[in-house]
Amino acid sequence: MTGHSSPWRIVRLVKVAFLTVLLIALIVFSVATVRTLTLEVNAGLQLAEWEKTSSIKPEISKQQRELLLHNFREAIRIPTVSFSETNQNTTALQEFDKLLRKVFPTVFSSRLVKHEVVADYSHLFTVQGTEPKLLPYMLLAHIDVVPANEADGWEAPPFSAKEMNGFIYGRGTIDNKQSVMGILQALEYLLQRGYVPRRGFYIGLGHDEEVSGYSGAVNIVKVLKSRGVKLHYVLDEGLAVLDGVIDGLDGPAALIGISEKGSATVKLSVSTKPGHSSMPSRESSIGILAAAVTRLEENPMPRLFGYGPERGTFEHLAHKFALPLRFIMSNLWLFTPLMSRVMERTPTTNAFVRTTTAVTMFNSGVKVNVLPSHAEAFVNLRIHSAQTLQEVLELIESTVSDERVKIELVNGFDPLPISSFDEQSFGFQIIKKTVLDMFPQLTVAPGICVGNTDSRHYTDLTKDIYRFAPSWFKPGDAQRFHGINERISCKNYEELVLFYFRLFQNCDVRSLPTPHGSQHEL
Ligand SMILES: *[C@@H]1O[C@H](CO)[C@@H](O)[C@H](O)[C@H]1NC(C)=O
Ligand SMILES: [Zn+2]
């Protein structure tokens, strides 16, 4: 996930968690005569008859198990840090290129795979399918990581890949080298065992996701567009498996990201005549700006809970909650106003209710006895799915409502489109099936990413973008993203490799089954 812009990351989503605490408060409002409503949205296609695809058993030997961990740890040891958009460790990125070629020799030599370096450090793999009529799909991951300093309190040096108590510690273990290496490792093993895909696919590995992906992802997309490529779906990093994180939910849940919030950085500035502090005018540039900022904080963006994809999340999870909560979550049409008021009280859940407003910088003044002629502040907003960038800018103008305050958009983009997640949705159903093949105990639900990913650059190639990997998160793990002691269990990394191993094969179905067993073309 992109971090430059945020404390607002994926992670925040993980904290949907805290919702429960809030939901408990709602019990107060639930009446005695509660009807039992069961939304069994989860069963769906899982009970239907799936077409058999080439089945190379998702099994790996003890030797392969050791090798995949060894390869992964080598990847963690290369400090592919993005310090800023103009400062990346290119030495490390080059070294990473060499590592990929060394540890995945079959991928790099297979006649089925075409490999290209894009924008010097990103990688594009094109894999031929035997049935070119089937629309290809694409898997994404990113090679770069955010900086890490051991002194911040790491239990192991952040680029050591040290193994402790069954976990591998290091920057990139969950964001996002587990997918970079997991995807290629799975393909390596499949090709070694003679796998020939029926449906073609692409793998895109960006090198600057943490600083917006304007070099890697954007150029990969350019290459694909120039070739007229259309994709069935894209799967990128994003959400994960939440285990014990959502209080009150019976069992772990896999949340598949179907959208991302939009983003805007707005600069507010005030210019006045400079002067001596002994004869000040009634209002200073600082005072005018401070008042404008205060108005923005006191008048948050409107509540929109229930108008975006967060509604689907609740409805899919409802049947896994005990009664009062189940009732509330199955009846959002009734409880939405109440829910939003409760949810907005906590920053983590407020993020699902509205476009958030964060004042992040405030600069003015050079000398204690000089009235500054200029003051400026930066506001970072994360735009709810039910709003547009333009609407947000208009609201800022009407709230500030002072022509002495200049308002400029520094950068921003609309919320991402909402990908399909119904029973005809190829990508969603394939990902869901693959998750349930491996972890039948999971509840699968659509979710929304509060942070952004490289996949946001792919909207011209497909309408269906999903953000998910089966990384397992327990309470407290959210803080490890871009934080200290980022880690993954050895077992979970193996599971990731096997997830992609199964996913490639599951994508070879020509069409999805219908719940009634008859087939329809996709
Ligand atoms: C960049 O990466 C190389 C290894 O590829 C490493 O030796 C060097 O210390 C890194 N530089 C910085 C500034 O992190
Ligand atoms: Zn990431």
Side-chain angles (χ1 to χ4, degrees):
M1 296 287 284
T2 301
H4 75 292
S5 44
S6 71
W8 294 110
R9 315 181 25 69
I10 300 186
V11 175
R12 298 293 168 176
L13 217 237
V14 171
K15 296 181 181 171
V16 169
F18 298 126
L19 264 186
T20 321
V21 178
L22 300 164
L23 282 172
I24 285 166
L26 283 171
I27 298 172
V28 178
F29 301 95
S30 68
V31 270
T33 55
V34 162
R35 281 179 305 134
T36 312
L37 274 185
T38 353
L39 279 182
E40 286 294 345
V41 272
N42 214 39
L45 294 189
Q46 210 53 31
L47 302 173
E49 195 68 36
W50 282 75
E51 176 192 348
K52 278 262 171 299
T53 52
S54 73
S55 60
I56 301 177
K57 285 221 166 54
E59 283 161 7
I60 41 177
S61 67
K62 184 164 176 290
Q63 196 195 350
Q64 285 176 319
R65 197 158 270 155
E66 277 165 22
L67 182 64
L68 66 86
L69 282 176
H70 177 84
N71 293 344
F72 180 61
R73 294 173 70 187
E74 281 206 50
I76 298 300
R77 289 191 189 108
I78 304 175
T80 49
V81 177
S82 287
F83 296 99
S84 73
E85 244 168 277
T86 50
N87 182 10
Q88 293 194 265
N89 190 335
T90 52
T91 315
L93 289 169
Q94 269 159 353
E95 211 175 294
F96 203 88
D97 176 308
K98 288 205 197 89
L99 175 73
L100 294 182
R101 293 168 200 267
K102 184 182 89 183
V103 301
F104 303 125
T106 318
V107 171
F108 280 86
S109 63
S110 168
R111 59 174 183 83
L112 297 174
V113 183
K114 177 166 115 185
H115 168 257
E116 293 161 275
V117 170
V118 177
D120 298 334
Y121 310 107
S122 285
H123 299 264
L124 172 62
F125 299 86
T126 305
V127 184
Q128 252 358 270
T130 52
E131 295 185 17
K133 274 199 305 229
L134 299 177
L135 207 51
Y137 60 98
M138 184 157 187
L139 306 183
L140 306 181
H142 65 88
I143 294 166
D144 63 325
V145 297
V146 293
N149 294 311
E150 190 179 352
D152 293 339
W154 283 76
E155 286 168 42
F159 297 103
S160 65
K162 193 173 164 192
E163 189 181 329
M164 291 190 292
N165 307 318
F167 288 88
I168 292 168
Y169 281 72
R171 180 60 86 223
T173 50
I174 51 174
D175 183 12
N176 177 236
K177 286 177 178 168
Q178 86 281 24
S179 292
V180 170
M181 298 302 281
I183 291 168
L184 291 180
Q185 188 70 69
L187 184 58
E188 175 76 13
Y189 286 158
L190 274 171
L191 292 171
Q192 283 176 3
R193 287 164 69 180
Y195 175 62
V196 179
R198 188 195 273 168
R199 186 185 296 275
F201 58 91
Y202 298 87
I203 298 168
L205 307 177
H207 72 275
D208 62 342
E209 190 277 343
E210 296 293 358
V211 288
S212 285
Y214 287 118
S215 175
V218 166
N219 282 297
I220 290 175
V221 169
K222 256 189 210 151
V223 169
L224 294 176
K225 274 173 94 167
S226 74
R227 294 175 188 163
V229 171
K230 286 285 172 207
L231 300 169
H232 212 340
Y233 76 91
V234 162
L235 176 63
D236 196 2
E237 62 168 336
L239 301 182
V241 177
L242 309 185
D243 183 15
V245 176
I246 304 179
D247 237 353
L249 182 73
D250 179 22
L255 292 190
I256 299 172
I258 53 165
S259 188
E260 295 172 20
K261 287 185 94 173
S263 172
T265 300
V266 174
K267 180 179 166 184
L268 305 181
S269 57
V270 177
S271 295
T272 51
K273 284 200 205 79
H276 197 270
S277 60
S278 57
M279 290 170 291
S281 56
R282 204 173 55 80
E283 281 183 297
S284 64
S285 56
I286 294 178
I288 295 166
L289 185 63
V293 164
T294 303
R295 281 196 294 283
L296 285 178
E297 287 193 339
E298 284 177 352
N299 299 283
M301 293 286 161
R303 292 183 198 94
L304 292 169
F305 179 74
Y307 296 93
E310 68 277 355
R311 187 177 191 119
T313 308
F314 278 67
E315 287 172 351
H316 275 70
L317 293 179
H319 72 287
K320 285 288 190 171
F321 281 86
L323 237 195
L325 296 181
R326 183 195 305 174
F327 179 76
I328 290 164
M329 293 169 74
S330 318
N331 289 284
L332 286 183
W333 58 272
L334 177 64
F335 290 107
T336 288
L338 185 64
M339 288 277 298
S340 14
R341 280 179 171 74
V342 177
M343 286 177 68
E344 71 182 356
R345 291 185 205 157
T346 308
T348 48
T349 46
N350 182 45
F352 296 92
V353 174
R354 58 165 45 88
T355 296
T356 52
T357 306
V359 183
T360 51
M361 290 169 78
F362 196 109
N363 303 319
S364 185
V366 285
K367 217 162 175 284
V368 289
N369 59 355
V370 175
L371 288 166
S373 60
H374 190 76
E376 63 182 35
F378 288 85
V379 184
N380 188 243
L381 303 109
R382 297 307 168 98
I383 306 170
H384 188 277
S385 297
Q387 229 170 9
T388 64
L389 174 59
Q390 190 54 38
E391 285 164 0
V392 166
L393 293 177
E394 284 163 14
L395 278 167
I396 291 176
E397 276 171 25
S398 66
T399 304
V400 168
S401 181
D402 181 342
E403 69 271 16
R404 294 170 301 176
V405 181
K406 192 166 154 205
I407 299 170
E408 292 162 272
L409 177 67
V410 180
N411 56 51
F413 51 89
D414 282 327
L416 275 290
I418 295 161
S419 306
S420 67
F421 56 98
D422 58 20
E423 288 188 337
Q424 266 91 61
S425 170
F426 184 83
F428 190 85
Q429 294 301 339
I430 293 283
I431 296 164
K432 177 174 168 178
K433 175 184 162 51
T434 309
V435 169
L436 292 175
D437 282 351
M438 287 188 79
F439 309 108
Q441 76 276 30
L442 291 183
T443 308
V444 180
I448 176 149
C449 284
V450 181
N452 296 112
T453 69
D454 263 352
S455 70
R456 73 185 173 92
H457 300 298
Y458 284 73
T459 49
D460 286 346
L461 300 176
T462 181
K463 65 173 185 50
D464 283 333
I465 298 175
Y466 302 99
R467 301 122 179 120
F468 172 80
S471 308
W472 281 64
F473 293 116
K474 291 191 185 309
D477 284 343
Q479 283 75 7
R480 299 178 195 274
F481 272 96
H482 293 204
I484 58 169
N485 295 318
E486 186 178 343
R487 67 178 195 184
I488 190 171
S489 73
C490 298
K491 175 169 165 285
N492 196 191
Y493 179 64
E494 263 175 40
E495 287 167 346
L496 272 147
V497 173
L498 289 174
F499 170 80
Y500 293 115
F501 194 97
R502 287 170 183 266
L503 184 71
F504 286 127
Q505 298 190 77
N506 284 344
C507 286
D508 282 330
V509 293
R510 294 192 181 92
S511 61
L512 292 177
T514 68
H516 316 292
S518 61
Q519 303 277 311
H520 59 90
E521 281 300 314
L522 274 173

